[in-house]
Amino acid sequence: MTAIAVLGSTNMDLVAYVPRAPGRGETVTGREFRTVPGGKGANQAVAAARAGGDVVMIGAVGTDEYGSRLRTNLEHAGVDTDLLHTVAGPSGTAHIVVDDEGANAIVVIPGANGTVTALGPGEKAAVAAAGILLLQLELPMAAVTEAARTARAHGVRTILTPSPVQLLPSGLLDAVDLLIPNEHEAAALTGYEEPHAAAQILLRQVPEVMITLGRKGCLYAARDTEPVHFAAPEVTAVDTTGAGDTFVGTLAVALGEGRSVAEAVAWASSAAALCVQKPGASTSMPRRSEIDAA
């Protein structure tokens, strides 16, 4: 079983479903509201655990009702939460609007996630013992960078999802093995909207890049090899929230099992396709048996 450490956020997703997203200064009537456990870190942890990974979650939740629900959701998925600390104050929240085409817009309030500024001995040991470390950018950059550098020092493969997109310090990039931005994040990081061009810029900073393209699949590029485009399964999306995290978490499990990039992407793409056909983020993530059967 693949050992995966996830340093990242845990948020309660407050999701409003609407025919179309409101414009600036506009009010629209929604048809449904849900509270769903989420956060990019927790989502990737749940996806990896359901796909068969041995996952430990490193982060923080608050002392509010959301905190206990977030922890329970991770534990039910099979994630080790011994390093998910409880701190005074509110948990993180994500305020999400999902339209009838399944597209979403998100505002994240860090809450307890903002207190994770450094790694203690237990966190460092968990990272060092893992086969793969998953990182995102919903925690303070200092902790993300420290985790990546700890992983590099112990030969642990590090996969970074640069979301929410922001300037990436060289101290972090120097310790990243695989960068997985979506096409908008790749454009923001490089100034190039064309994925192939963006990938070439990013390869100057990290050895491997995988740019996710939504319905168009993904583009994989590594140094000294030709880029490869992988198509995505054609499905009708109900809610794309969590699809990218499902892809990354499942991909990590497949790579940790020694599958080729092509095999891992195909498996992860199947998982993401199953995810978008159901509402919610972590609640829609498939289990290993469902992915294998897709």
Side-chain angles (χ1 to χ4, degrees):
M1 185 179 291
T2 308
I4 298 173
V6 182
L7 174 79
S9 59
T10 53
N11 296 323
M12 185 61 72
D13 292 347
L14 311 177
V15 190
Y17 294 91
V18 297
R20 63 175 181 83
R24 185 174 183 179
E26 181 184 14
T27 299
V28 300
T29 299
R31 65 174 183 276
E32 187 177 2
F33 173 77
R34 295 185 181 185
T35 56
V36 183
K40 295 195 70 63
N43 285 346
Q44 291 183 8
V46 168
R50 289 185 176 175
D54 179 12
V55 184
V56 57
M57 180 72 199
I58 304 170
V61 295
T63 48
D64 54 4
E65 177 188 354
Y66 291 158
S68 59
R69 285 183 59 188
L70 291 168
R71 183 182 298 278
T72 298
N73 181 69
L74 286 161
E75 292 172 348
H76 282 174
V79 177
D80 182 338
T81 63
D82 286 351
L83 295 174
L84 181 64
H85 302 290
T86 299
V87 299
S91 300
T93 53
H95 305 256
I96 305 173
V97 174
V98 180
D99 66 25
D100 278 350
E101 295 183 357
N104 60 59
I106 306 173
V107 176
V108 173
I109 310 297
N113 298 302
T115 69
V116 184
T117 57
L119 274 62
E123 287 79 18
K124 290 181 180 179
V127 170
I132 292 177
L133 170 66
L134 294 182
L135 298 171
Q136 322 77 35
L137 299 177
E138 289 183 344
L139 295 185
M141 186 65 75
V144 176
T145 301
E146 184 180 8
R149 295 179 71 84
T150 300
R152 175 55 54 90
H154 291 87
V156 178
R157 187 175 191 178
T158 296
I159 300 175
L160 171 64
T161 304
S163 177
V165 67
Q166 55 191 282
L167 180 66
L168 301 178
S170 59
L172 171 59
L173 288 170
D174 289 345
V176 169
D177 297 294
L178 171 60
L179 185 69
I180 309 184
N182 63 30
E183 56 190 317
H184 307 295
E185 292 156 355
L189 290 170
T190 65
Y192 289 87
E193 293 189 5
E194 202 285 313
H196 283 82
Q200 294 308 308
I201 298 296
L202 293 170
L203 285 176
R204 299 174 187 174
Q205 302 170 301
V206 296
E208 294 179 89
V209 176
M210 191 173 294
I211 301 177
T212 57
L213 307 170
R215 296 175 180 175
K216 298 179 182 178
C218 69
L219 176 72
Y220 172 76
R223 293 171 180 167
D224 302 320
T225 63
E226 289 296 318
V228 181
H229 175 262
F230 297 101
E234 293 186 11
V235 297
T236 300
V238 173
D239 183 356
T240 59
T241 308
D245 296 327
T246 298
F247 178 85
V248 173
T250 310
L251 182 79
V253 172
L255 292 175
E257 292 175 350
R259 304 193 200 192
S260 69
V261 170
E263 292 171 329
V265 168
W267 201 59
S269 295
S270 294
L274 290 169
C275 174
V276 302
Q277 294 178 72
K278 298 178 182 179
S282 62
T283 53
S284 64
M285 292 174 174
R287 298 192 177 277
R288 189 181 185 99
S289 57
E290 297 174 276
I291 305 169
D292 288 339

